[in-house]
Amino acid sequence: MDNHRPHTGRRRNEHVRQAILDGALRLLASAQGSPVTVEAIAREAGVGKQTIYRWWPSKGAVLLEALTDRAEEAAPSPDTGSLHSDLRAVIAATFGGAQDPSTAPALHTLVREAARDPHLAELMQAFTGTRRAVLREVLTRGRERGELPAGRDLDLMVDQVYGVFWYRFLLGHAPLTEEIADLLTDSLIAPGCTGEPAPA
């Protein structure tokens, strides 16, 4: 496990920060199950190890920030005024972003490392929590507009989306396609699934 070191609060150079995050993702993508170290990230980014420790408390924090940045770029929080459009956009972007050539192997490697690193597992939980919050915000706005019944369990809806995502992503038994994003969106907000009366 990494030695945790306090953040010094020094201002980070954005160019160097991005080089470190990009380097971490490249290493995760090519690690093939081997642990990624702070030393390896520093070499890949062309910086000193102490630069990383000045700005992040651990290797896991670097990996989390790298994946969070990538996830926010790939799957932002839309607000078009339509629950169907917003929900479909988040699901499709989540499915598509996770299959990016650099993101997919990195995410697989991070999940494997989290299984044997309790600190990284905590950070992974924080990462997934931020993505859940984006989806829940979309659902909350839809409910406030009357597009979902007031009693609908939003957390269960989020679980359904990410349950499909993680099951298919980790086991690889079925694809995460645009068509699946459409079907999942429709099934989540169909009248029969929300507690609304089905059309006569």
Side-chain angles (χ1 to χ4, degrees), residues 156-190:
L156 182 58
M157 293 181 72
V158 173
D159 285 344
Q160 288 174 286
V161 171
Y162 283 106
V164 170
F165 168 75
W166 284 110
Y167 191 76
R168 292 193 174 206
F169 179 76
L170 292 176
L171 298 184
H173 78 289
L176 292 165
T177 62
E178 294 271 349
E179 291 76 17
I180 296 302
D182 289 337
L183 289 172
L184 183 55
T185 301
D186 292 342
S187 70
L188 285 170
I189 62 178

PDB file of all heavy atoms in Angstrom, residues 156-190:
ATOM      1  N   LEU A 156     -32.718   3.248  -6.602  1.00  0.00           N
ATOM      2  CA  LEU A 156     -32.885   1.964  -7.264  1.00  0.00           C
ATOM      3  C   LEU A 156     -32.739   2.109  -8.777  1.00  0.00           C
ATOM      4  O   LEU A 156     -32.153   1.242  -9.441  1.00  0.00           O
ATOM      5  CB  LEU A 156     -34.257   1.368  -6.931  1.00  0.00           C
ATOM      6  CG  LEU A 156     -34.557  -0.014  -7.530  1.00  0.00           C
ATOM      7  CD1 LEU A 156     -33.511  -1.028  -7.091  1.00  0.00           C
ATOM      8  CD2 LEU A 156     -35.958  -0.467  -7.138  1.00  0.00           C
ATOM      9  N   MET A 157     -33.217   3.214  -9.323  1.00  0.00           N
ATOM     10  CA  MET A 157     -33.047   3.464 -10.752  1.00  0.00           C
ATOM     11  C   MET A 157     -31.567   3.595 -11.100  1.00  0.00           C
ATOM     12  O   MET A 157     -31.103   3.070 -12.118  1.00  0.00           O
ATOM     13  CB  MET A 157     -33.806   4.728 -11.166  1.00  0.00           C
ATOM     14  CG  MET A 157     -35.319   4.610 -11.076  1.00  0.00           C
ATOM     15  SD  MET A 157     -36.160   6.131 -11.622  1.00  0.00           S
ATOM     16  CE  MET A 157     -35.898   6.056 -13.394  1.00  0.00           C
ATOM     17  N   VAL A 158     -30.830   4.308 -10.254  1.00  0.00           N
ATOM     18  CA  VAL A 158     -29.389   4.446 -10.477  1.00  0.00           C
ATOM     19  C   VAL A 158     -28.720   3.076 -10.423  1.00  0.00           C
ATOM     20  O   VAL A 158     -27.852   2.756 -11.242  1.00  0.00           O
ATOM     21  CB  VAL A 158     -28.771   5.400  -9.433  1.00  0.00           C
ATOM     22  CG1 VAL A 158     -27.256   5.410  -9.546  1.00  0.00           C
ATOM     23  CG2 VAL A 158     -29.324   6.816  -9.617  1.00  0.00           C
ATOM     24  N   ASP A 159     -29.134   2.256  -9.444  1.00  0.00           N
ATOM     25  CA  ASP A 159     -28.583   0.906  -9.339  1.00  0.00           C
ATOM     26  C   ASP A 159     -28.850   0.096 -10.604  1.00  0.00           C
ATOM     27  O   ASP A 159     -27.998  -0.690 -11.049  1.00  0.00           O
ATOM     28  CB  ASP A 159     -29.195   0.172  -8.147  1.00  0.00           C
ATOM     29  CG  ASP A 159     -28.648   0.643  -6.811  1.00  0.00           C
ATOM     30  OD1 ASP A 159     -27.593   1.305  -6.800  1.00  0.00           O
ATOM     31  OD2 ASP A 159     -29.289   0.354  -5.779  1.00  0.00           O
ATOM     32  N   GLN A 160     -30.023   0.267 -11.179  1.00  0.00           N
ATOM     33  CA  GLN A 160     -30.355  -0.483 -12.385  1.00  0.00           C
ATOM     34  C   GLN A 160     -29.430  -0.097 -13.540  1.00  0.00           C
ATOM     35  O   GLN A 160     -28.965  -0.957 -14.286  1.00  0.00           O
ATOM     36  CB  GLN A 160     -31.815  -0.238 -12.760  1.00  0.00           C
ATOM     37  CG  GLN A 160     -32.807  -0.914 -11.826  1.00  0.00           C
ATOM     38  CD  GLN A 160     -34.238  -0.539 -12.144  1.00  0.00           C
ATOM     39  OE1 GLN A 160     -34.686   0.573 -11.852  1.00  0.00           O
ATOM     40  NE2 GLN A 160     -34.972  -1.451 -12.744  1.00  0.00           N
ATOM     41  N   VAL A 161     -29.173   1.199 -13.681  1.00  0.00           N
ATOM     42  CA  VAL A 161     -28.284   1.649 -14.760  1.00  0.00           C
ATOM     43  C   VAL A 161     -26.875   1.117 -14.560  1.00  0.00           C
ATOM     44  O   VAL A 161     -26.279   0.500 -15.453  1.00  0.00           O
ATOM     45  CB  VAL A 161     -28.262   3.185 -14.849  1.00  0.00           C
ATOM     46  CG1 VAL A 161     -27.176   3.655 -15.825  1.00  0.00           C
ATOM     47  CG2 VAL A 161     -29.625   3.710 -15.276  1.00  0.00           C
ATOM     48  N   TYR A 162     -26.325   1.345 -13.364  1.00  0.00           N
ATOM     49  CA  TYR A 162     -24.946   0.941 -13.145  1.00  0.00           C
ATOM     50  C   TYR A 162     -24.807  -0.561 -12.922  1.00  0.00           C
ATOM     51  O   TYR A 162     -23.721  -1.124 -13.127  1.00  0.00           O
ATOM     52  CB  TYR A 162     -24.324   1.755 -12.009  1.00  0.00           C
ATOM     53  CG  TYR A 162     -23.965   3.137 -12.482  1.00  0.00           C
ATOM     54  CD1 TYR A 162     -24.710   4.246 -12.106  1.00  0.00           C
ATOM     55  CD2 TYR A 162     -22.916   3.318 -13.368  1.00  0.00           C
ATOM     56  CE1 TYR A 162     -24.396   5.514 -12.582  1.00  0.00           C
ATOM     57  CE2 TYR A 162     -22.595   4.580 -13.851  1.00  0.00           C
ATOM     58  CZ  TYR A 162     -23.343   5.670 -13.460  1.00  0.00           C
ATOM     59  OH  TYR A 162     -23.033   6.914 -13.950  1.00  0.00           O
ATOM     60  N   GLY A 163     -25.902  -1.213 -12.508  1.00  0.00           N
ATOM     61  CA  GLY A 163     -25.868  -2.664 -12.443  1.00  0.00           C
ATOM     62  C   GLY A 163     -25.658  -3.266 -13.825  1.00  0.00           C
ATOM     63  O   GLY A 163     -24.819  -4.152 -14.025  1.00  0.00           O
ATOM     64  N   VAL A 164     -26.413  -2.754 -14.805  1.00  0.00           N
ATOM     65  CA  VAL A 164     -26.229  -3.205 -16.188  1.00  0.00           C
ATOM     66  C   VAL A 164     -24.820  -2.865 -16.665  1.00  0.00           C
ATOM     67  O   VAL A 164     -24.131  -3.706 -17.274  1.00  0.00           O
ATOM     68  CB  VAL A 164     -27.280  -2.557 -17.116  1.00  0.00           C
ATOM     69  CG1 VAL A 164     -26.941  -2.826 -18.583  1.00  0.00           C
ATOM     70  CG2 VAL A 164     -28.671  -3.073 -16.791  1.00  0.00           C
ATOM     71  N   PHE A 165     -24.389  -1.643 -16.381  1.00  0.00           N
ATOM     72  CA  PHE A 165     -23.070  -1.217 -16.857  1.00  0.00           C
ATOM     73  C   PHE A 165     -21.959  -2.107 -16.317  1.00  0.00           C
ATOM     74  O   PHE A 165     -21.167  -2.678 -17.078  1.00  0.00           O
ATOM     75  CB  PHE A 165     -22.808   0.239 -16.472  1.00  0.00           C
ATOM     76  CG  PHE A 165     -21.379   0.640 -16.687  1.00  0.00           C
ATOM     77  CD1 PHE A 165     -20.903   0.864 -17.966  1.00  0.00           C
ATOM     78  CD2 PHE A 165     -20.500   0.769 -15.618  1.00  0.00           C
ATOM     79  CE1 PHE A 165     -19.567   1.204 -18.178  1.00  0.00           C
ATOM     80  CE2 PHE A 165     -19.179   1.117 -15.822  1.00  0.00           C
ATOM     81  CZ  PHE A 165     -18.713   1.331 -17.106  1.00  0.00           C
ATOM     82  N   TRP A 166     -21.861  -2.232 -14.994  1.00  0.00           N
ATOM     83  CA  TRP A 166     -20.747  -2.969 -14.412  1.00  0.00           C
ATOM     84  C   TRP A 166     -20.817  -4.454 -14.737  1.00  0.00           C
ATOM     85  O   TRP A 166     -19.782  -5.096 -14.965  1.00  0.00           O
ATOM     86  CB  TRP A 166     -20.697  -2.755 -12.891  1.00  0.00           C
ATOM     87  CG  TRP A 166     -20.159  -1.417 -12.512  1.00  0.00           C
ATOM     88  CD1 TRP A 166     -20.852  -0.379 -11.967  1.00  0.00           C
ATOM     89  CD2 TRP A 166     -18.811  -0.951 -12.667  1.00  0.00           C
ATOM     90  NE1 TRP A 166     -20.030   0.702 -11.770  1.00  0.00           N
ATOM     91  CE2 TRP A 166     -18.763   0.377 -12.186  1.00  0.00           C
ATOM     92  CE3 TRP A 166     -17.652  -1.530 -13.161  1.00  0.00           C
ATOM     93  CZ2 TRP A 166     -17.598   1.125 -12.189  1.00  0.00           C
ATOM     94  CZ3 TRP A 166     -16.483  -0.784 -13.158  1.00  0.00           C
ATOM     95  CH2 TRP A 166     -16.463   0.522 -12.674  1.00  0.00           C
ATOM     96  N   TYR A 167     -22.026  -5.019 -14.771  1.00  0.00           N
ATOM     97  CA  TYR A 167     -22.154  -6.437 -15.081  1.00  0.00           C
ATOM     98  C   TYR A 167     -21.632  -6.728 -16.478  1.00  0.00           C
ATOM     99  O   TYR A 167     -20.854  -7.654 -16.693  1.00  0.00           O
ATOM    100  CB  TYR A 167     -23.624  -6.851 -14.948  1.00  0.00           C
ATOM    101  CG  TYR A 167     -23.850  -8.340 -14.977  1.00  0.00           C
ATOM    102  CD1 TYR A 167     -23.558  -9.119 -13.860  1.00  0.00           C
ATOM    103  CD2 TYR A 167     -24.367  -8.963 -16.104  1.00  0.00           C
ATOM    104  CE1 TYR A 167     -23.769 -10.496 -13.872  1.00  0.00           C
ATOM    105  CE2 TYR A 167     -24.582 -10.334 -16.129  1.00  0.00           C
ATOM    106  CZ  TYR A 167     -24.281 -11.093 -15.009  1.00  0.00           C
ATOM    107  OH  TYR A 167     -24.473 -12.451 -15.040  1.00  0.00           O
ATOM    108  N   ARG A 168     -22.033  -5.914 -17.428  1.00  0.00           N
ATOM    109  CA  ARG A 168     -21.584  -6.143 -18.805  1.00  0.00           C
ATOM    110  C   ARG A 168     -20.125  -5.730 -18.999  1.00  0.00           C
ATOM    111  O   ARG A 168     -19.383  -6.378 -19.747  1.00  0.00           O
ATOM    112  CB  ARG A 168     -22.487  -5.393 -19.787  1.00  0.00           C
ATOM    113  CG  ARG A 168     -23.895  -5.960 -19.833  1.00  0.00           C
ATOM    114  CD  ARG A 168     -24.686  -5.431 -21.004  1.00  0.00           C
ATOM    115  NE  ARG A 168     -25.980  -6.111 -21.081  1.00  0.00           N
ATOM    116  CZ  ARG A 168     -26.669  -6.249 -22.194  1.00  0.00           C
ATOM    117  NH1 ARG A 168     -26.202  -5.755 -23.337  1.00  0.00           N
ATOM    118  NH2 ARG A 168     -27.828  -6.883 -22.199  1.00  0.00           N
ATOM    119  N   PHE A 169     -19.710  -4.651 -18.341  1.00  0.00           N
ATOM    120  CA  PHE A 169     -18.336  -4.178 -18.511  1.00  0.00           C
ATOM    121  C   PHE A 169     -17.335  -5.176 -17.937  1.00  0.00           C
ATOM    122  O   PHE A 169     -16.318  -5.493 -18.570  1.00  0.00           O
ATOM    123  CB  PHE A 169     -18.166  -2.819 -17.842  1.00  0.00           C
ATOM    124  CG  PHE A 169     -16.774  -2.263 -17.941  1.00  0.00           C
ATOM    125  CD1 PHE A 169     -16.313  -1.707 -19.125  1.00  0.00           C
ATOM    126  CD2 PHE A 169     -15.918  -2.299 -16.850  1.00  0.00           C
ATOM    127  CE1 PHE A 169     -15.020  -1.204 -19.231  1.00  0.00           C
ATOM    128  CE2 PHE A 169     -14.629  -1.794 -16.938  1.00  0.00           C
ATOM    129  CZ  PHE A 169     -14.185  -1.247 -18.136  1.00  0.00           C
ATOM    130  N   LEU A 170     -17.607  -5.678 -16.737  1.00  0.00           N
ATOM    131  CA  LEU A 170     -16.637  -6.550 -16.074  1.00  0.00           C
ATOM    132  C   LEU A 170     -16.683  -7.980 -16.585  1.00  0.00           C
ATOM    133  O   LEU A 170     -15.646  -8.629 -16.715  1.00  0.00           O
ATOM    134  CB  LEU A 170     -16.878  -6.537 -14.558  1.00  0.00           C
ATOM    135  CG  LEU A 170     -16.573  -5.206 -13.856  1.00  0.00           C
ATOM    136  CD1 LEU A 170     -16.944  -5.297 -12.387  1.00  0.00           C
ATOM    137  CD2 LEU A 170     -15.104  -4.827 -14.015  1.00  0.00           C
ATOM    138  N   LEU A 171     -17.857  -8.492 -16.890  1.00  0.00           N
ATOM    139  CA  LEU A 171     -17.967  -9.875 -17.334  1.00  0.00           C
ATOM    140  C   LEU A 171     -17.870 -10.014 -18.849  1.00  0.00           C
ATOM    141  O   LEU A 171     -17.509 -11.069 -19.365  1.00  0.00           O
ATOM    142  CB  LEU A 171     -19.273 -10.498 -16.837  1.00  0.00           C
ATOM    143  CG  LEU A 171     -19.423 -10.577 -15.308  1.00  0.00           C
ATOM    144  CD1 LEU A 171     -20.710 -11.303 -14.945  1.00  0.00           C
ATOM    145  CD2 LEU A 171     -18.231 -11.271 -14.671  1.00  0.00           C
ATOM    146  N   GLY A 172     -18.223  -8.942 -19.556  1.00  0.00           N
ATOM    147  CA  GLY A 172     -18.085  -8.957 -21.004  1.00  0.00           C
ATOM    148  C   GLY A 172     -18.990  -9.939 -21.720  1.00  0.00           C
ATOM    149  O   GLY A 172     -18.709 -10.349 -22.847  1.00  0.00           O
ATOM    150  N   HIS A 173     -20.107 -10.295 -21.077  1.00  0.00           N
ATOM    151  CA  HIS A 173     -20.984 -11.293 -21.694  1.00  0.00           C
ATOM    152  C   HIS A 173     -21.889 -10.702 -22.765  1.00  0.00           C
ATOM    153  O   HIS A 173     -22.453 -11.428 -23.582  1.00  0.00           O
ATOM    154  CB  HIS A 173     -21.848 -11.961 -20.621  1.00  0.00           C
ATOM    155  CG  HIS A 173     -23.002 -11.121 -20.181  1.00  0.00           C
ATOM    156  ND1 HIS A 173     -22.833  -9.982 -19.425  1.00  0.00           N
ATOM    157  CD2 HIS A 173     -24.327 -11.222 -20.433  1.00  0.00           C
ATOM    158  CE1 HIS A 173     -24.010  -9.434 -19.199  1.00  0.00           C
ATOM    159  NE2 HIS A 173     -24.935 -10.159 -19.800  1.00  0.00           N
ATOM    160  N   ALA A 174     -22.013  -9.367 -22.767  1.00  0.00           N
ATOM    161  CA  ALA A 174     -22.887  -8.700 -23.734  1.00  0.00           C
ATOM    162  C   ALA A 174     -22.379  -7.272 -23.911  1.00  0.00           C
ATOM    163  O   ALA A 174     -21.737  -6.711 -23.019  1.00  0.00           O
ATOM    164  CB  ALA A 174     -24.340  -8.703 -23.256  1.00  0.00           C
ATOM    165  N   PRO A 175     -22.660  -6.658 -25.056  1.00  0.00           N
ATOM    166  CA  PRO A 175     -22.100  -5.335 -25.343  1.00  0.00           C
ATOM    167  C   PRO A 175     -22.826  -4.194 -24.627  1.00  0.00           C
ATOM    168  O   PRO A 175     -23.944  -4.352 -24.125  1.00  0.00           O
ATOM    169  CB  PRO A 175     -22.282  -5.215 -26.860  1.00  0.00           C
ATOM    170  CG  PRO A 175     -23.498  -6.045 -27.146  1.00  0.00           C
ATOM    171  CD  PRO A 175     -23.423  -7.204 -26.197  1.00  0.00           C
ATOM    172  N   LEU A 176     -22.152  -3.056 -24.591  1.00  0.00           N
ATOM    173  CA  LEU A 176     -22.722  -1.809 -24.074  1.00  0.00           C
ATOM    174  C   LEU A 176     -22.871  -0.858 -25.266  1.00  0.00           C
ATOM    175  O   LEU A 176     -22.030   0.004 -25.490  1.00  0.00           O
ATOM    176  CB  LEU A 176     -21.817  -1.210 -22.998  1.00  0.00           C
ATOM    177  CG  LEU A 176     -21.730  -1.997 -21.689  1.00  0.00           C
ATOM    178  CD1 LEU A 176     -20.545  -1.520 -20.853  1.00  0.00           C
ATOM    179  CD2 LEU A 176     -23.024  -1.862 -20.893  1.00  0.00           C
ATOM    180  N   THR A 177     -23.941  -1.030 -26.001  1.00  0.00           N
ATOM    181  CA  THR A 177     -24.126  -0.315 -27.257  1.00  0.00           C
ATOM    182  C   THR A 177     -25.115   0.829 -27.130  1.00  0.00           C
ATOM    183  O   THR A 177     -25.813   0.976 -26.119  1.00  0.00           O
ATOM    184  CB  THR A 177     -24.636  -1.283 -28.335  1.00  0.00           C
ATOM    185  OG1 THR A 177     -25.916  -1.797 -27.909  1.00  0.00           O
ATOM    186  CG2 THR A 177     -23.673  -2.443 -28.537  1.00  0.00           C
ATOM    187  N   GLU A 178     -25.197   1.630 -28.183  1.00  0.00           N
ATOM    188  CA  GLU A 178     -26.202   2.689 -28.249  1.00  0.00           C
ATOM    189  C   GLU A 178     -27.600   2.100 -28.158  1.00  0.00           C
ATOM    190  O   GLU A 178     -28.490   2.671 -27.528  1.00  0.00           O
ATOM    191  CB  GLU A 178     -26.044   3.457 -29.571  1.00  0.00           C
ATOM    192  CG  GLU A 178     -24.750   4.235 -29.715  1.00  0.00           C
ATOM    193  CD  GLU A 178     -24.872   5.643 -29.176  1.00  0.00           C
ATOM    194  OE1 GLU A 178     -26.009   6.084 -28.888  1.00  0.00           O
ATOM    195  OE2 GLU A 178     -23.830   6.309 -29.035  1.00  0.00           O
ATOM    196  N   GLU A 179     -27.798   0.946 -28.795  1.00  0.00           N
ATOM    197  CA  GLU A 179     -29.114   0.310 -28.771  1.00  0.00           C
ATOM    198  C   GLU A 179     -29.504  -0.113 -27.356  1.00  0.00           C
ATOM    199  O   GLU A 179     -30.661   0.044 -26.945  1.00  0.00           O
ATOM    200  CB  GLU A 179     -29.115  -0.911 -29.701  1.00  0.00           C
ATOM    201  CG  GLU A 179     -29.033  -0.593 -31.185  1.00  0.00           C
ATOM    202  CD  GLU A 179     -27.625  -0.180 -31.625  1.00  0.00           C
ATOM    203  OE1 GLU A 179     -26.650  -0.442 -30.881  1.00  0.00           O
ATOM    204  OE2 GLU A 179     -27.508   0.412 -32.717  1.00  0.00           O
ATOM    205  N   ILE A 180     -28.528  -0.622 -26.591  1.00  0.00           N
ATOM    206  CA  ILE A 180     -28.805  -1.007 -25.210  1.00  0.00           C
ATOM    207  C   ILE A 180     -29.106   0.231 -24.368  1.00  0.00           C
ATOM    208  O   ILE A 180     -29.969   0.199 -23.484  1.00  0.00           O
ATOM    209  CB  ILE A 180     -27.626  -1.800 -24.622  1.00  0.00           C
ATOM    210  CG1 ILE A 180     -27.446  -3.120 -25.376  1.00  0.00           C
ATOM    211  CG2 ILE A 180     -27.832  -2.065 -23.136  1.00  0.00           C
ATOM    212  CD1 ILE A 180     -28.670  -4.021 -25.361  1.00  0.00           C
ATOM    213  N   ALA A 181     -28.409   1.328 -24.635  1.00  0.00           N
ATOM    214  CA  ALA A 181     -28.695   2.579 -23.926  1.00  0.00           C
ATOM    215  C   ALA A 181     -30.131   3.019 -24.192  1.00  0.00           C
ATOM    216  O   ALA A 181     -30.839   3.467 -23.275  1.00  0.00           O
ATOM    217  CB  ALA A 181     -27.717   3.663 -24.358  1.00  0.00           C
ATOM    218  N   ASP A 182     -30.581   2.890 -25.431  1.00  0.00           N
ATOM    219  CA  ASP A 182     -31.965   3.250 -25.778  1.00  0.00           C
ATOM    220  C   ASP A 182     -32.960   2.365 -25.032  1.00  0.00           C
ATOM    221  O   ASP A 182     -33.938   2.857 -24.444  1.00  0.00           O
ATOM    222  CB  ASP A 182     -32.196   3.105 -27.283  1.00  0.00           C
ATOM    223  CG  ASP A 182     -31.471   4.172 -28.102  1.00  0.00           C
ATOM    224  OD1 ASP A 182     -31.161   5.237 -27.543  1.00  0.00           O
ATOM    225  OD2 ASP A 182     -31.211   3.917 -29.285  1.00  0.00           O
ATOM    226  N   LEU A 183     -32.724   1.053 -25.065  1.00  0.00           N
ATOM    227  CA  LEU A 183     -33.650   0.113 -24.429  1.00  0.00           C
ATOM    228  C   LEU A 183     -33.697   0.322 -22.913  1.00  0.00           C
ATOM    229  O   LEU A 183     -34.771   0.266 -22.302  1.00  0.00           O
ATOM    230  CB  LEU A 183     -33.229  -1.325 -24.749  1.00  0.00           C
ATOM    231  CG  LEU A 183     -33.446  -1.792 -26.190  1.00  0.00           C
ATOM    232  CD1 LEU A 183     -32.794  -3.165 -26.398  1.00  0.00           C
ATOM    233  CD2 LEU A 183     -34.942  -1.870 -26.513  1.00  0.00           C
ATOM    234  N   LEU A 184     -32.545   0.543 -22.307  1.00  0.00           N
ATOM    235  CA  LEU A 184     -32.498   0.748 -20.857  1.00  0.00           C
ATOM    236  C   LEU A 184     -33.211   2.039 -20.474  1.00  0.00           C
ATOM    237  O   LEU A 184     -33.971   2.076 -19.496  1.00  0.00           O
ATOM    238  CB  LEU A 184     -31.045   0.769 -20.385  1.00  0.00           C
ATOM    239  CG  LEU A 184     -30.804   0.905 -18.879  1.00  0.00           C
ATOM    240  CD1 LEU A 184     -31.545  -0.175 -18.099  1.00  0.00           C
ATOM    241  CD2 LEU A 184     -29.303   0.857 -18.576  1.00  0.00           C
ATOM    242  N   THR A 185     -32.996   3.087 -21.238  1.00  0.00           N
ATOM    243  CA  THR A 185     -33.688   4.360 -20.971  1.00  0.00           C
ATOM    244  C   THR A 185     -35.191   4.169 -21.044  1.00  0.00           C
ATOM    245  O   THR A 185     -35.936   4.592 -20.143  1.00  0.00           O
ATOM    246  CB  THR A 185     -33.253   5.431 -21.984  1.00  0.00           C
ATOM    247  OG1 THR A 185     -31.845   5.631 -21.893  1.00  0.00           O
ATOM    248  CG2 THR A 185     -33.967   6.751 -21.715  1.00  0.00           C
ATOM    249  N   ASP A 186     -35.651   3.551 -22.118  1.00  0.00           N
ATOM    250  CA  ASP A 186     -37.097   3.342 -22.298  1.00  0.00           C
ATOM    251  C   ASP A 186     -37.674   2.494 -21.170  1.00  0.00           C
ATOM    252  O   ASP A 186     -38.772   2.775 -20.669  1.00  0.00           O
ATOM    253  CB  ASP A 186     -37.373   2.675 -23.643  1.00  0.00           C
ATOM    254  CG  ASP A 186     -37.073   3.585 -24.831  1.00  0.00           C
ATOM    255  OD1 ASP A 186     -36.977   4.809 -24.626  1.00  0.00           O
ATOM    256  OD2 ASP A 186     -36.925   3.061 -25.945  1.00  0.00           O
ATOM    257  N   SER A 187     -36.943   1.460 -20.765  1.00  0.00           N
ATOM    258  CA  SER A 187     -37.478   0.565 -19.729  1.00  0.00           C
ATOM    259  C   SER A 187     -37.571   1.256 -18.376  1.00  0.00           C
ATOM    260  O   SER A 187     -38.476   0.983 -17.588  1.00  0.00           O
ATOM    261  CB  SER A 187     -36.609  -0.691 -19.614  1.00  0.00           C
ATOM    262  OG  SER A 187     -35.339  -0.396 -19.051  1.00  0.00           O
ATOM    263  N   LEU A 188     -36.636   2.172 -18.102  1.00  0.00           N
ATOM    264  CA  LEU A 188     -36.631   2.847 -16.803  1.00  0.00           C
ATOM    265  C   LEU A 188     -37.772   3.839 -16.645  1.00  0.00           C
ATOM    266  O   LEU A 188     -38.292   4.020 -15.540  1.00  0.00           O
ATOM    267  CB  LEU A 188     -35.296   3.567 -16.592  1.00  0.00           C
ATOM    268  CG  LEU A 188     -34.097   2.674 -16.255  1.00  0.00           C
ATOM    269  CD1 LEU A 188     -32.816   3.482 -16.316  1.00  0.00           C
ATOM    270  CD2 LEU A 188     -34.263   2.056 -14.876  1.00  0.00           C
ATOM    271  N   ILE A 189     -38.158   4.496 -17.726  1.00  0.00           N
ATOM    272  CA  ILE A 189     -39.194   5.532 -17.594  1.00  0.00           C
ATOM    273  C   ILE A 189     -40.497   5.155 -18.285  1.00  0.00           C
ATOM    274  O   ILE A 189     -41.379   5.987 -18.438  1.00  0.00           O
ATOM    275  CB  ILE A 189     -38.685   6.893 -18.117  1.00  0.00           C
ATOM    276  CG1 ILE A 189     -38.337   6.829 -19.601  1.00  0.00           C
ATOM    277  CG2 ILE A 189     -37.493   7.358 -17.300  1.00  0.00           C
ATOM    278  CD1 ILE A 189     -37.883   8.179 -20.139  1.00  0.00           C
ATOM    279  N   ALA A 190     -40.614   3.898 -18.697  1.00  0.00           N
ATOM    280  CA  ALA A 190     -41.889   3.436 -19.254  1.00  0.00           C
ATOM    281  C   ALA A 190     -42.968   3.502 -18.179  1.00  0.00           C
ATOM    282  O   ALA A 190     -42.689   3.284 -16.995  1.00  0.00           O
ATOM    283  CB  ALA A 190     -41.747   2.012 -19.775  1.00  0.00           C
TER     284      ALA A 190
END
